[in-house]
Amino acid sequence: MRPHAHSLVLRLAACSAVLSAAAFSPAEIQYVVHPNFEKEALVVTMTVPLNKAEKEIAFQMPRWEPGSYGYGDPGKAVADLTAKDEKGVALTVDHPDFSTWRVANPPIGEVTVTYSVKPDYSNEVLHYSGPETYLYVVGRTQEKCRLTVDVPDGWPIAIGLNPAPGEPGSKVTEIDKDGHTHTTTISTSKTFLAPTYDVLADNPVSAGKYYADGYMVAGRQHFIALRGAPDAVSKVDKDKLQRVTKFISAMETNFWGDAPYDRYVWHVLAFPRPDGGWGLEHLSSTQIGLATGFGPGTDGVLSHEFFHLWNVKRIRSKPLGPFNYQELPQTGALWWLEGVTDYYAHLLLRRYGWTDDARFYKVLAGNVSTTRSNEKRLTTSPYDSSFRVREANNGRGNSSGYDVNYYNTGWLAGLCLDMAIRTQTNNRKSLDDVARALYKKYGHAKEGFPEDGIRAELVRVAGPALGTYYDQIVMHPGELPVEDALGKVGLKLENKDEQYATLGFRTVPNREKMGIDVREPQASVPGLKEGDLIVGINGQLFAGMSMSDVFTLYGSTLNSPEIGKVIHVTVKREGTADPLQVDVTPVGATRKVWVVGELAGATPEAVALRKAWLTPPKNWTPPTGSK
């Protein structure tokens, strides 16, 4: 049920009148965001104080979003932009390119700009990201900002910014009952403060009738704002979501030694899949795509994004803040900022006891498999994969790297560096010390580390030999010495034959047609043809089912077949009126896979090194109700 638009318009008019009458700080740029549900638009009103005569004031929309290293060009979606002086007189606006608007000879006082963008609004939940929503004043991104999100009364707002003075604020209340922590989240603020545009833009917003939950860790409030299609949200194990996010928050706060934020928000979008997810980090929040099946890969995504609070958002290279929003950054450190983040995301889950050796070794082997399946690893270094990312995708950039994926290669480079430090220092130091040193030195600085900053800390922690090793594995292409690194902790890496079940065709989910497309069927499945649409499995037709149920059925059968176990599929075929019934019998096939295991005859020193690598600190106690 959508809010009544006419009452919302009246309230917006009243809000605008109050704002225009308020006394603004000359250094505070104000934003009012309000949804127009009838026009399916998000209307943004931006009020900019001018202290002196200006020949020109220019506004821009970012071309890219920090954390995602490719051009998105959201300025192309900006519509109906107008500018007025403080008396309401229209000003002439020049629009020289899709991301820039200019006002010539603006009057002393205030300039108010109004425009609209398309919102992400469904199921009575509004969600938006800052760089796709807020214009900034060119040359003034480091000034204070005030944000008012004018949504219908009764709609809570989830955002990582602190409320403005006088606002009612947000609160998490925890009640410990029968050994389990129950939570209630109350969020009633509408106006928030940001010290700069960078901080404003780095705080996405969820508002409306989302599923709200939360918890307390390290004296900080953590909010969960879960949204998505009703059938998807209903499938999420909400108790597990609260437990794993609370565990990760406590675990990584323990690792770093502090919590560098006042509040934190998990903006979670549920989608019907058995496992996995995606994420985009922010200064005091994250945007998460969460598989409703909450499989073993999902907690790794959550751990990765939370670790970014320190590594990327505080420990960052110089081009990553203050930002140039019109050009993609050029830094050779993305292998560290993304790949080493993922290394720790999984290492800490093992070290602190959320997962076990087998799970961690499988993730490690998966990174080896992905990296070594790409021959360009022999010609492109981890550094160049990072530094040249904006050359990828015909100059539009991407979020994985140039030629080589900096997530996987960075994961393995982090492992190799960690083992080298532990060996070089007789286990007195590790990569942990390098990460914490970078945080101490650059975590609260205005500028990030220089291009040689990581190398310098490696040398300081473990000596000149680590500088040479860094040059070898990070600055030059070639095979990363994973076998040697694992041998130092009594482990081995092997390329083994593995038998697996194959359907004899590929499957591609087709949400639009509520089915599963058949691709490249082999002779072993004569009943199927290219282009067939599977509309039922084992007698269960997809018609009338939710997409969440379809994906659950798909994941447990076609996506996880068993050798010799017949699967009955119902198929629609172009040119055929009636559905066809086809029996598919998965057959066994062999493939090479990388496997990590314990090394027979490992020395006591190597075993001790492995224990130190995977053992939690003595001061660690899991938070109540998290396991």
Side-chain angles (χ1 to χ4, degrees):
M1 176 177 167
R2 299 198 304 182
H4 293 295
H6 69 275
S7 62
L8 179 60
V9 169
L10 290 174
R11 190 166 65 256
L12 295 177
C15 177
S16 298
V18 171
L19 286 172
S20 61
F24 300 124
S25 164
E28 188 173 80
I29 298 172
Q30 301 215 358
Y31 295 80
V32 178
V33 176
H34 45 261
N36 186 322
F37 297 106
E38 286 186 338
K39 293 185 177 181
E40 297 183 350
L42 199 62
V43 181
V44 182
T45 300
M46 182 180 179
T47 303
V48 182
L50 300 177
N51 299 321
K52 60 181 179 180
E54 306 264 6
K55 290 185 177 181
E56 177 183 275
I57 183 171
F59 302 85
Q60 287 184 323
M61 186 67 84
R63 293 197 60 201
W64 66 285
E65 185 165 6
S68 179
Y69 302 102
Y71 290 120
D73 294 330
K76 294 179 179 179
V78 173
D80 306 321
L81 188 142
T82 61
K84 297 179 180 180
D85 66 13
E86 60 185 12
K87 296 181 180 179
V89 177
L91 302 172
T92 301
V93 179
D94 182 28
H95 187 31
D97 60 62
F98 58 77
S99 62
T100 306
W101 293 259
R102 297 185 303 208
V103 177
N105 301 312
I108 296 176
E110 294 172 4
V111 171
T112 299
V113 173
T114 302
Y115 59 94
S116 65
V117 295
K118 288 291 183 182
D120 175 0
Y121 176 72
S122 59
N123 304 302
E124 296 188 89
V125 180
L126 171 70
H127 179 80
Y128 69 84
S129 180
E132 298 174 352
T133 305
Y134 307 129
L135 292 173
Y136 61 87
V137 183
V138 176
R140 296 177 62 179
T141 59
Q142 302 310 296
E143 295 182 22
K144 295 179 181 179
C145 298
R146 175 183 293 259
L147 170 66
T148 297
V149 185
D150 188 52
V151 292
D153 292 337
W155 274 26
I157 299 169
I159 187 172
L161 294 174
N162 287 324
E167 287 287 305
S170 304
K171 183 172 63 175
V172 170
T173 303
E174 292 194 323
I175 306 169
D176 193 11
K177 182 180 179 182
D178 299 327
H180 184 75
T181 302
H182 301 264
T183 62
T184 303
T185 304
I186 303 171
S187 180
T188 53
S189 305
K190 285 192 176 183
T191 300
F192 308 89
L193 301 180
T196 66
Y197 173 88
D198 289 345
V199 175
L200 172 72
D202 207 15
N203 278 276
V205 173
S206 293
K209 299 182 180 181
Y210 55 82
Y211 173 84
D213 205 344
Y215 56 89
M216 296 290 292
V217 164
R220 308 295 199 274
Q221 298 177 342
H222 298 72
F223 302 92
I224 299 171
L226 174 63
R227 71 188 196 281
D231 64 295
V233 172
S234 68
K235 293 288 193 303
V236 175
D237 185 337
K238 300 174 183 63
D239 181 64
K240 183 176 182 180
L241 177 60
Q242 198 258 19
R243 284 188 291 110
V244 68
T245 52
K246 184 176 184 179
F247 185 93
I248 287 169
S249 300
M251 171 184 80
E252 294 182 5
T253 300
N254 176 273
F255 173 81
W256 289 103
D258 76 350
Y261 52 94
D262 294 330
R263 50 165 48 199
Y264 188 83
V265 180
W266 300 90
H267 299 275
V268 181
L269 172 64
F271 63 93
R273 290 287 193 284
D275 191 15
W278 54 264
L280 183 63
E281 70 273 7
H282 297 283
L283 193 65
S284 53
S285 60
T286 186
Q287 292 168 290
I288 292 287
L290 184 83
T292 53
F294 217 120
T298 307
D299 52 15
V301 173
L302 297 169
S303 181
H304 177 106
E305 296 308 321
F306 200 79
F307 197 85
H308 272 318
L309 275 169
W310 296 268
N311 202 38
V312 146
K313 304 315 298 185
R314 273 89 186 170
I315 305 169
R316 67 189 193 282
S317 53
K318 283 186 178 181
L320 298 182
F323 295 106
N324 178 350
Y325 292 101
Q326 298 303 303
E327 291 186 13
L328 290 174
Q330 198 166 28
T331 173
L334 296 180
W335 68 271
W336 172 279
L337 299 173
E338 293 292 354
V340 172
T341 288
D342 206 49
Y343 169 67
Y344 273 110
H346 294 278
L347 171 62
L348 295 184
L349 286 172
R350 167 61 195 94
R351 183 184 291 174
Y352 283 78
W354 184 265
T355 59
D356 57 16
D357 287 349
R359 165 80 182 283
F360 178 59
Y361 296 162
K362 186 176 181 179
V363 173
L364 195 166
N367 280 281
V368 173
S369 178
T370 302
T371 300
R372 293 191 176 177
S373 65
N374 183 357
E375 291 185 358
K376 291 184 178 180
R377 74 190 187 281
L378 304 176
T379 56
T380 301
S381 69
Y383 182 91
D384 281 339
S385 172
S386 304
F387 193 77
R388 300 179 65 182
V389 65
R390 65 181 184 180
E391 298 176 40
N393 192 21
N394 295 317
R396 293 198 62 80
N398 62 31
S399 289
S400 58
Y402 174 80
D403 281 352
V404 174
N405 190 308
Y406 49 64
Y407 284 85
N408 307 114
T409 192
W411 203 109
L412 299 179
L415 168 72
C416 292
L417 290 168
D418 200 358
M419 298 303 103
I421 296 169
R422 291 175 184 274
T423 305
Q424 186 73 19
T425 65
N426 293 319
N427 210 26
R428 292 191 301 272
K429 300 287 184 180
S430 71
L431 196 64
D432 303 0
D433 297 284
V434 176
R436 292 179 185 129
L438 286 168
Y439 178 52
K440 182 178 181 180
K441 190 171 183 178
Y442 298 104
H444 303 286
K446 290 184 178 180
E447 286 192 343
F449 57 77
E451 286 299 291
D452 65 348
I454 297 169
R455 186 186 191 280
E457 288 306 314
L458 286 164
V459 170
R460 189 190 64 78
V461 168
L466 260 294
T468 303
Y469 190 63
Y470 170 93
D471 294 339
Q472 173 193 334
I473 69 170
V474 173
M475 302 303 295
H476 293 93
E479 201 75 273
L480 290 169
V482 178
E483 288 88 346
D484 179 66
L486 291 177
K488 291 177 169 55
V489 288
L491 297 175
K492 61 182 178 179
L493 177 68
E494 296 180 287
N495 199 212
K496 288 185 173 182
D497 289 332
E498 177 190 68
Q499 190 176 44
Y500 69 103
T502 175
L503 294 170
F505 60 94
R506 290 195 305 111
T507 59
V508 180
N510 189 325
R511 183 182 294 271
E512 183 179 347
K513 294 184 178 180
M514 278 290 290
I516 309 294
D517 288 329
V518 173
R519 294 284 185 267
E520 303 170 11
Q522 300 172 13
S524 59
V525 281
L528 292 178
K529 291 185 177 181
E530 180 76 22
D532 283 352
L533 180 73
I534 297 174
V535 295
I537 300 175
N538 291 336
Q540 292 183 264
L541 297 179
F542 299 160
M545 294 173 61
S546 68
M547 278 307 294
S548 178
D549 289 333
V550 170
F551 278 112
T552 299
L553 182 59
Y554 164 72
S556 63
T557 53
L558 297 181
N559 207 34
S560 304
E562 297 180 30
I563 298 173
K565 185 176 182 180
V566 178
I567 303 172
H568 309 286
V569 297
T570 304
V571 174
K572 281 187 177 181
R573 180 175 296 164
E574 189 174 349
T576 303
D578 298 324
L580 306 174
Q581 303 298 319
V582 179
D583 288 349
V584 177
T585 304
V587 297
T590 301
R591 60 189 174 192
K592 288 286 187 180
V593 296
W594 291 100
V595 178
V596 175
E598 293 188 6
L599 184 63
T603 66
E605 292 79 10
V607 174
L609 205 65
R610 182 168 76 237
K611 183 178 179 181
W613 180 42
L614 300 178
T615 299
K618 293 180 180 180
N619 66 346
W620 167 248
T621 301
T624 302
S626 67
K627 289 288 286 183

